[in-house]
Amino acid sequence: MKQPLAKQRWLRLIPVVFITYSLAYLDRANYAFGAAGGMAQDLQITPAISSLLGSLFFLGYFFFQVPGAHYAEKKSAKVLIFWSLIAWGALATATGMVSNVNFLFIIRFMLGVVESAVMPAMLVFLSHWFTKAERSRANTFLILGNPVTVLWMSIVSGYLLEAYGWRWMFIIEGLPAVIWAFLWWKLVFDHPKDAKWLSAKEKADLQGALEKEQEGIKPVKNYREAFKSKVVILLAAQYALWSVGLYGFVMWLPSIIKAAPNMSIVQTGWLSAVPYVLAVILMLTASHFSDKLQKRKEFVWPFLFIGAIAFYASYLIGPDHFWISFVLLIIAGGAMYAPYGPFFAIIPEILPRNVAGGAMALINSMGALGSFVGSYVVGYLNGSTGGFAASYIFMAGSLLLSAILTIVATKQAKEKHIKQPNVNTNIS
């Protein structure tokens, strides 16, 4: 009977990866609470400028994805993430010290630049440690840092805002990243061969399994050839549209809830956390069955379609039925998060290791562009129309198109035989 690969990888690496990405997500997403909790008023930020500030992070995030993935693959994800932790913690803390909106523009953009390397570097890192049969779950535990962080951040930020104000909220929530950088450096290794806690046999078995799964993948010469692939282009467009809906939701959910009658900032924090509870449950469930069945597409597009329907139903219900609309927003939020693990398992299974990291970075960078558009346009629509109906339609349309592109992209992958026929993973 075949022995399972080193189980301690899950206990030693996944908590560290989860906490690291959680801290990154904390320092990017708490702007929404700062804006709703007095920063916009104190710095005389108009709704239009607030929308730009909220989305400017993603413009910086867009530019350095591919270089970050290249550095992580060719040199060291460990080094890259160490310095990124220190830099983004310092920038997040500096947000609480600004007195001029112009400095805030610079900080938000630079925060995006610094954090841009984290997601692709983490995906590259996990691909060095976890096999095809494990990758959807490993990716999900990484990206769980997103909804879990928003869940507790929504509650904690509400209390920090009420007790100390927006400045101290940013300062208190920025410092942990700097401290964590040194724990990250102590706890992780770029490759299994460097880990002292693995036996020689465990290292050889894991390396052999990782090399064997590369045998069934058609060679791709370089990034240029990978980026010209129709599948990569379609998945990049798909992820951009998905991110339009997701980050329109994430960045503006506190404002949507705060607009309800007699809603305090603490109540806003608690209610803003609810969709992320469902998100965690659905992410774990989808990744488990995606790995078990070795299917990817079937655990991506249906959830995006459900999110589109939920946003459209919120539009139809209108502003006079807050609690019904809130339930639909919970469904939309959970459904948008559910497919992350299966989605990011697709690329390493259709492209060889020499270009898979760069392709994931390209797709993630297009997601950043979609996030910029989503967070800006949703904020703009909310401000210009005085309500949320137009933004619900906008997010519903983006998710519907994303669901359609998922089906088209995975069908294209099958038809073009990106993988050799003896590979069992079913993405179609």
Side-chain angles (χ1 to χ4, degrees), residues 311-333:
F311 277 130
Y312 184 64
S314 293
Y315 161 76
L316 292 178
I317 286 169
D320 297 328
H321 301 87
F322 171 78
W323 291 108
I324 298 174
S325 181
F326 179 64
V327 170
L328 290 167
L329 290 174
I330 293 172
I331 294 170

Side-chain angles (χ1 to χ4, degrees), residues 281-358:
I281 295 169
L282 291 180
M283 286 177 76
L284 290 171
T285 303
S287 65
H288 171 78
F289 285 104
S290 176
D291 274 350
K292 184 176 181 179
L293 300 174
Q294 282 295 285
K295 291 180 180 290
R296 305 307 185 197
K297 177 186 73 177
E298 290 83 355
F299 292 94
V300 178
W301 77 261
F303 286 110
L304 299 177
F305 182 72
I306 290 168
I309 295 298
F311 277 130
Y312 184 64
S314 293
Y315 161 76
L316 292 178
I317 286 169
D320 297 328
H321 301 87
F322 171 78
W323 291 108
I324 298 174
S325 181
F326 179 64
V327 170
L328 290 167
L329 290 174
I330 293 172
I331 294 170
M336 284 188 292
Y337 274 102
Y340 266 112
F343 177 78
F344 278 108
I346 292 173
I347 287 296
E349 294 172 3
I350 64 176
L351 290 173
R353 183 170 294 158
N354 67 309
V355 295

Side-chain angles (χ1 to χ4, degrees), residues 67-348:
H70 180 76
Y71 185 93
E73 185 63 68
K74 300 300 181 183
K75 294 188 178 180
S76 173
K78 176 179 176 176
V79 170
L80 184 61
I81 293 172
F82 172 77
W83 289 110
S84 295
L85 276 159
I86 292 174
W88 89 59
L91 286 165
T93 299
T95 305
M97 303 176 184
V98 297
S99 56
N100 186 307
V101 72
N102 292 326
F103 289 114
L104 198 54
F105 279 111
I106 296 169
I107 288 172
R108 289 297 296 177
F109 179 79
M110 289 305 301
L111 190 64
V113 170
V114 169
E115 285 195 26
S116 65
V118 177
M119 180 68 165
M122 282 293 196
L123 291 169
V124 167
F125 175 79
L126 290 175
S127 73
H128 292 166
W129 280 93
F130 295 93
T131 65
K132 180 177 63 181
E134 305 166 319
R135 204 162 285 139
S136 180
R137 284 167 291 159
N139 290 344
T140 291
F141 281 115
L142 163 67
I143 301 166
L144 270 176
N146 177 323
V148 171
T149 300
V150 180
L151 195 161
W152 66 260
M153 180 200 73
S154 299
I155 298 168
V156 171
S157 294
Y159 282 109
L160 287 175
L161 284 165
E162 186 177 58
Y164 304 110
W166 64 269
R167 291 187 181 278
W168 277 105
M169 181 203 76
F170 282 115
I171 293 169
I172 291 169
E173 292 181 350
L175 289 175
V178 178
I179 298 168
W180 182 255
F182 297 94
L183 291 171
W184 162 269
W185 185 263
K186 182 74 174 175
L187 294 170
V188 304
F189 301 92
D190 279 303
H191 299 280
K193 63 182 177 63
D194 301 318
K196 297 177 181 178
W197 44 267
L198 286 177
S199 69
K201 184 178 185 306
E202 287 173 324
K203 292 177 184 180
D205 289 347
L206 180 55
Q207 188 61 37
L210 291 169
E211 289 176 359
K212 186 174 180 59
E213 68 183 35
Q214 291 287 306
E215 292 173 3
I217 301 178
K218 182 180 177 181
V220 177
K221 185 169 56 177
N222 52 36
Y223 282 164
R224 178 178 295 181
E225 186 177 330
F227 293 172
K228 287 165 62 179
S229 162
K230 288 184 180 179
V231 180
V232 172
I233 293 169
L234 287 169
L235 288 175
Q238 183 267 16
Y239 193 51
L241 289 163
W242 177 2
S243 298
V244 166
L246 181 68
Y247 281 93
F249 174 86
V250 169
M251 295 301 293
W252 296 105
L253 180 64
S255 296
I256 291 171
I257 294 173
K258 186 70 169 61
N262 304 314
M263 189 68 67
S264 72
I265 192 66
V266 172
Q267 289 173 315
T268 298
W270 277 99
L271 290 177
S272 296
V274 176
Y276 302 101
V277 176
L278 179 61
V280 169
I281 295 169
L282 291 180
M283 286 177 76
L284 290 171
T285 303
S287 65
H288 171 78
F289 285 104
S290 176
D291 274 350
K292 184 176 181 179
L293 300 174
Q294 282 295 285
K295 291 180 180 290
R296 305 307 185 197
K297 177 186 73 177
E298 290 83 355
F299 292 94
V300 178
W301 77 261
F303 286 110
L304 299 177
F305 182 72
I306 290 168
I309 295 298
F311 277 130
Y312 184 64
S314 293
Y315 161 76
L316 292 178
I317 286 169
D320 297 328
H321 301 87
F322 171 78
W323 291 108
I324 298 174
S325 181
F326 179 64
V327 170
L328 290 167
L329 290 174
I330 293 172
I331 294 170
M336 284 188 292
Y337 274 102
Y340 266 112
F343 177 78
F344 278 108
I346 292 173
I347 287 296

